[in-house]
Amino acid sequence: MPRSRSAPTLTQHLVRLLLVLAVSALPLFWLLGSLPAQQWDESRTGLNALEMLRSNNWLVLTHRGEPDLWNSKPPLAPWLMALSFKLLGPTEVALRLPSALAALATVLVVYFAGSRWLGSWRAGLLAALILLTTQGYVTLHVSRTGDFDALLTLWTTLGTLNWLAYLATGRTRHAWGTGAAFALAVLTKGIAGLLFGPGIILATLLTGQLRRLRKFSPWRAFLLILGTGITWYTVRELIAPGYLAGVWQYEVGGPAGEALEGHGHPVYWYLSKLAETKFQAWLVAALIGMGLGWWMPRRSRGWWLSRVLGSVAVAFLLVISAVQTQLLWYDAPIYPLLALLAAGGLVWTGRAVAAHYHRYPSPTARLAAVLLIAALPYGVQLLLIRRSTDVALRNSSLLYGRHLRAQAKQLPHLREYMLGDNGIFNDSPEFYMAAITTQYGHRITRVGPWQVGWATPPRTVVACGAKAWRPWQQYYQTRVLFRTDSCVTFRLEARR
């Protein structure tokens, strides 16, 4: 028989929590500031946040001073990013810190949920390690960059786990927790914050808990979510009309009805990515967990966990697969749920084997087994983080920030210049222009390749990459003032 367990002391709780924090540190924070601001959503959202600080307009996101309808999401993530810039300055670490902290909070939520629903803190640690070694979660555009998806995933995970607790216990506070979490999800990414809705309904049906809907608390929670969304969209439209049209075009009708910007894939695309790379190491364990839990004694913890999380995960996967626009990071909210199911599959299998052979490992042996199971995927995850940073640094059009900061130290007298780009749409140079202007007070003018011939010497220009520098050499005699990697600061001497 397994040994009886005494209640853990406060010191033991703290040691366990420190262990979770320790294993989270490298995947979530290592090299966080080494990667330049990414070309698409990250740099644009960072620019929104910097302009928010500069204009003190906290309700209308702007891009180059004009209302940004392409990024028509609600402002919670840019608010947090602007606060981060205020505290730490306009750096890459500040750009990504809200996402990294949201990811850390999600890992802790998964740890505590695993400890409760799987009956052991080691099971919670295993669930946390699974999430930290999930390539679809600890990656660019989710936990490693300044985007919306890590924060969205935190709220959807909290909302789902609160609904699980409400179905199991009927306690009002869990219904309110569900409402608050999904209201914050709506304030983070609009309609995407509601995509767990079908899974929540399915979970309620499959657990036979429709009677929970006879209480007022879940309906009040629903009204909180609905009221939050209606209030935000109404206020934003009244402040700057045309916002709702942008939301429909870029967030709702457009992505659902057509593959925007060529991001269309087969209906099985997300599932194939799960199996091939994004959850490859743990997918079988998650399927085992879903299956074993389904047949556990009715209303046992495993029964609740597998039915609710399995229903929500499968329904969400079906919803995003039915949408015409499909992007790699749209499935991010599914991974904390799958991590808990995978931990369940491994833990329940281990307990069944131990019971069959009447051999119960010591607590130390069980902890060692958890760490051993996760060791290889953890090492692979760190290698992928290192590699993603190396690959990104090869893109010369993303290196303006590193060059301009070095230039500010080497040429402190140079405060006014032009920034020559390669003509490809890219908000990364625009973000760094705003960051350097904020940090050093420089006056920078961005010039595309088609505008090169309009400059009048003598002027100073910064260009990164041969494609950005070559047009200037064709029109002008130049003198190099400063160089880093593929970036050059040069003076226009005379026309050729």
Side-chain angles (χ1 to χ4, degrees):
M1 293 292 291
R3 299 177 181 91
S4 60
R5 296 177 295 178
S6 59
T9 65
L10 178 60
T11 300
Q12 288 174 319
H13 279 304
L14 290 175
V15 169
R16 295 167 184 179
L17 182 59
L18 287 173
L19 178 58
V20 177
L21 293 174
V23 297
S24 302
L26 287 177
L28 299 182
F29 295 95
W30 181 48
L31 298 177
L32 194 64
S34 298
L35 195 70
Q38 295 300 284
Q39 184 169 357
W40 306 116
D41 295 0
E42 181 184 42
S43 54
R44 191 171 188 118
T45 307
L47 185 60
N48 293 150
L50 284 175
E51 292 191 8
M52 182 182 290
L53 275 178
R54 186 166 54 196
S55 67
N56 206 30
N57 184 346
W58 294 85
L59 292 178
V60 179
L61 299 183
T62 59
H63 178 259
R64 304 182 73 175
E66 297 295 327
D68 192 352
L69 297 181
W70 184 80
N71 187 3
S72 54
K73 300 172 183 68
L76 182 56
W79 285 346
L80 297 175
M81 197 176 288
L83 177 61
S84 184
F85 287 144
K86 184 73 173 177
L87 295 174
L88 302 176
T91 65
E92 289 84 358
V93 171
L95 175 66
R96 297 177 180 127
L97 188 60
S99 290
L101 291 177
L104 177 61
T106 305
V107 170
L108 291 174
V109 168
V110 166
Y111 163 71
F112 287 117
S115 300
R116 174 186 176 184
W117 293 98
L118 298 175
S120 163
W121 77 271
R122 297 173 194 82
L125 175 62
L126 178 59
L129 283 166
I130 290 173
L131 183 59
L132 289 167
T133 56
T134 294
Q135 295 178 28
Y137 182 72
V138 179
T139 186
L140 304 185
H141 215 294
V142 187
S143 64
R144 296 283 306 178
T145 50
D147 294 287
F148 296 83
D149 299 273
L151 190 61
L152 172 68
T153 301
L154 171 61
W155 305 136
T156 55
T157 303
L158 280 169
T160 302
L161 291 171
N162 269 283
W163 190 249
L164 164 62
Y166 176 69
L167 292 180
T169 66
R171 293 174 183 167
T172 299
R173 62 186 177 91
H174 295 307
W176 280 113
T178 302
F182 282 111
L184 290 168
V186 170
L187 281 179
T188 299
K189 208 174 178 183
I191 191 68
L194 300 176
L195 296 185
F196 271 25
I200 293 292
I201 295 170
L202 180 61
T204 306
L205 292 172
L206 291 180
T207 54
Q209 295 300 306
L210 284 175
R211 63 189 178 90
R212 299 294 191 202
L213 301 183
R214 296 173 190 165
K215 295 184 176 182
F216 287 118
S217 53
W219 297 106
R220 289 171 181 164
F222 172 74
L223 289 175
L224 174 62
I225 301 168
L226 185 64
T228 299
I230 291 175
T231 299
W232 161 250
Y233 287 106
T234 301
V235 169
R236 175 59 180 82
E237 177 68 17
L238 290 174
I239 293 173
Y243 175 67
L244 292 180
V247 170
W248 178 261
Q249 181 178 357
Y250 295 111
E251 300 293 334
V252 185
E258 59 180 305
L260 295 183
E261 302 171 358
H263 295 296
H265 301 281
V267 71
Y268 55 83
W269 185 65
Y270 287 111
L271 184 59
S272 66
K273 290 295 180 182
L274 281 175
E276 292 169 4
T277 55
K278 301 177 79 175
F279 202 63
Q280 181 186 41
W282 308 110
L283 184 57
V284 172
L287 293 174
I288 292 172
M290 206 178 300
L292 287 178
W294 196 271
W295 299 108
M296 282 187 170
R298 184 174 177 81
R299 300 190 180 180
S300 63
R301 289 183 178 182
W303 184 90
W304 282 112
L305 186 74
S306 64
R307 293 207 171 206
V308 174
L309 300 195
S311 299
V312 173
V314 170
F316 177 74
L317 194 60
L318 291 174
V319 169
I320 61 174
S321 297
V323 174
Q324 293 300 306
T325 301
Q326 299 176 357
L327 291 165
L328 278 172
W329 52 88
Y330 279 5
D331 62 353
I334 205 175
Y335 292 113
L337 311 186
L338 292 180
L340 284 163
L341 290 170
L346 294 170
V347 168
W348 295 328
T349 300
R351 288 174 183 168
V353 171
H356 178 77
Y357 290 103
H358 302 288
R359 298 183 67 86
Y360 300 97
S362 68
T364 302
R366 279 177 275 164
L367 176 59
V370 167
L371 297 176
L372 184 61
I373 288 170
L376 179 59
Y378 191 88
V380 170
Q381 188 71 286
L382 297 184
L383 289 174
L384 291 173
I385 291 170
R386 172 78 268 181
R387 186 180 303 168
S388 70
T389 302
D390 292 340
V391 170
L393 290 174
R394 297 172 193 166
N395 186 344
S396 59
S397 65
L398 302 182
L399 300 182
Y400 284 93
R402 176 178 293 193
H403 178 78
L404 291 177
R405 291 192 182 107
Q407 173 187 287
K409 296 177 180 178
Q410 293 294 321
L411 305 174
H413 61 281
L414 181 58
R415 302 179 65 83
E416 185 172 357
Y417 46 90
M418 296 186 292
L419 185 148
D421 63 42
N422 59 15
I424 299 173
F425 177 74
N426 185 352
D427 275 318
S428 184
E430 196 76 33
F431 166 76
Y432 282 118
M433 285 173 57
I436 297 300
T437 299
T438 300
Q439 193 168 5
Y440 297 104
H442 290 186
R443 295 181 296 277
I444 312 172
T445 303
R446 188 171 180 177
V447 180
W450 59 90
Q451 300 170 304
V452 166
W454 301 349
T456 302
R459 296 291 299 274
T460 302
V461 183
V462 174
C464 288
K467 192 172 182 180
W469 188 16
R470 193 176 296 119
W472 297 94
Q473 293 176 303
Q474 293 173 351
Y475 280 91
Y476 305 94
Q477 296 176 12
T478 62
R479 178 167 62 91
V480 174
L481 304 178
F482 180 64
R483 185 191 299 268
T484 62
D485 298 323
S486 61
C487 296
V488 182
T489 301
F490 55 93
R491 184 175 294 279
L492 306 180
E493 299 287 350
R495 285 185 175 272
R496 290 188 182 277

